[in-house]
Amino acid sequence: MTYQTICATPASPHIGAEITRIDLTAPLSNTQVEELHHAFARYQVLFFRDQKISFDDQIRLASYFGPLGRHVGKSTISKTTDNPMVRKFHYDETSTQISGENFHSDQSCAENPPLGTMLYNHTVPPDGGGDTMFASMYAAYDALSDRMKTYLEGLTATHDGTRVFGPGTPVSVHPVIIRHPVTGRKVIYVNTDFTSHINDLPRREADSLLHFLIAHCDRSEWTCRFRWHAHSIAFWDNRCCQHKAIWDYWPNVRSGFRVQIDGSGPPVAG
Ligand code: SIN
């Protein structure tokens, strides 16, 4: 889609767009910000290339979408930096695991999960690898049968942060189907990493339903795959997409910085 200031090239039929004709090392005009908001709502994840951004640039860009927030977990895989809002995502030959290898929505265990997340990678493996996959939860919801959509209405699920980040991490209950606050579209809101169980049903039914939903959400039909180059950025909307990182590049280095934007409130039932 051509905007007045930026250009958005879709990455797949359902999700993702690469944004060009923009320099993220300088403040953006009001029109650029409006157009980025529009593209973010439309494509769910935005990709930028050849942007040698500083912490300040990354924070400024993310702040156009809301106040920055802090990670709710005690993750030891990603690291803090000297800026409390910026986390370092660095993997090399000493790494024994990486963050986010299953499809998930960031910190869905929080009462008020982050609205969006922005990852900048300045260093990537020399022969490719380390792609991130994104899955549209709009497309996953839309593909359900009407009977299944009706069945899921009103159900809730428990999202348990201790499964990923260990003791002391939040556990929250969210609707299984939520409504995106900007687009008004419905989204399946369960994921492999954080969702421990569906409530309100006998255990065996709940387990089978969760298993079905997770397999459905992870189907490749509604995904796109982002191939990182040095100085690329991916900026995703946790309210309507899931993502997973692929660790196929050990012992090579992939390194960058991540910020997250506070949610505007708990997920609302669809
Ligand atoms: C994550 O945020 O889960 C990691 C994404 C990535 O490293 O590609």
Side-chain angles (χ1 to χ4, degrees):
M1 174 164 180
T2 307
Y3 291 95
Q4 202 183 315
T5 60
I6 61 172
C7 182
T9 306
S12 80
H14 294 295
I15 184 165
E18 185 168 328
I19 304 297
T20 50
R21 293 207 340 231
I22 194 162
D23 173 7
L24 300 177
T25 63
L28 301 180
S29 68
N30 290 343
T31 310
Q32 284 175 311
V33 172
E34 262 171 44
E35 292 188 344
L36 278 185
H37 272 268
H38 185 281
F40 190 58
R42 179 180 170 130
Y43 296 106
Q44 307 149 65
V45 51
L46 304 182
F47 306 117
F48 305 88
R49 295 205 183 274
D50 301 318
Q51 305 283 345
K52 283 195 182 178
I53 55 171
S54 64
F55 281 8
D56 285 348
D57 296 332
Q58 190 169 2
I59 287 169
R60 184 181 58 245
L61 175 60
S63 300
Y64 291 129
F65 289 80
L68 298 202
R70 294 188 195 203
H71 201 285
V72 297
K74 297 187 173 63
S75 175
T76 51
I77 308 176
S78 63
K79 306 274 186 247
T80 53
T81 66
D82 55 14
N83 186 312
M85 295 304 168
V86 183
R87 289 187 78 85
K88 181 172 179 171
F89 278 58
H90 174 94
Y91 309 109
D92 59 24
E93 80 283 356
T94 66
S95 302
T96 53
Q97 57 179 326
I98 67 159
S99 185
E101 283 191 88
N102 297 309
F103 271 116
H104 64 285
S105 174
D106 284 326
Q107 299 149 56
S108 66
C109 57
E111 190 188 341
N112 184 10
L115 174 161
T117 308
M118 187 179 289
L119 177 64
Y120 163 64
N121 273 321
H122 52 79
T123 306
V124 298
D127 302 320
D131 293 359
T132 308
M133 291 186 70
F134 296 89
S136 169
M137 292 302 106
Y138 292 139
Y141 176 80
D142 291 348
L144 293 172
S145 68
D146 287 344
R147 277 180 185 265
M148 179 56 86
K149 287 177 183 164
T150 304
Y151 181 64
L152 296 175
E153 249 172 54
L155 290 177
T156 63
T158 298
H159 295 243
D160 182 352
T162 65
R163 289 155 58 96
V164 180
F165 304 125
T169 318
V171 179
S172 301
V173 171
H174 298 304
V176 169
I177 305 299
I178 64 168
R179 192 178 284 280
H180 193 283
V182 175
T183 64
R185 291 180 65 189
K186 291 186 183 188
V187 174
I188 303 176
Y189 198 69
V190 295
N191 65 78
T192 311
D193 272 355
F194 293 107
T195 313
S196 57
H197 58 279
I198 293 183
N199 306 310
D200 327 306
L201 292 175
R203 192 66 195 227
R204 275 183 352 138
E205 267 183 49
D207 287 351
S208 297
L209 180 60
L210 183 58
H211 186 263
F212 162 75
L213 284 176
I214 282 177
H216 178 77
C217 290
D218 292 3
R219 282 180 61 175
S220 46
E221 281 82 349
W222 26 86
T223 64
C224 71
R225 184 167 167 148
F226 183 56
R227 182 165 193 188
W228 291 91
H229 300 163
H231 306 292
S232 301
I233 298 167
F235 174 34
W236 59 89
D237 186 335
N238 288 304
R239 303 165 297 181
C240 57
C241 75
Q242 295 188 17
H243 61 283
K244 77 179 239 180
I246 298 173
W247 194 25
D248 55 358
Y249 54 89
W250 187 90
N252 289 310
V253 176
R254 180 184 187 262
S255 193
F257 298 102
R258 204 179 99 154
V259 298
Q260 65 185 47
I261 298 152
D262 265 344
S264 49
V268 171

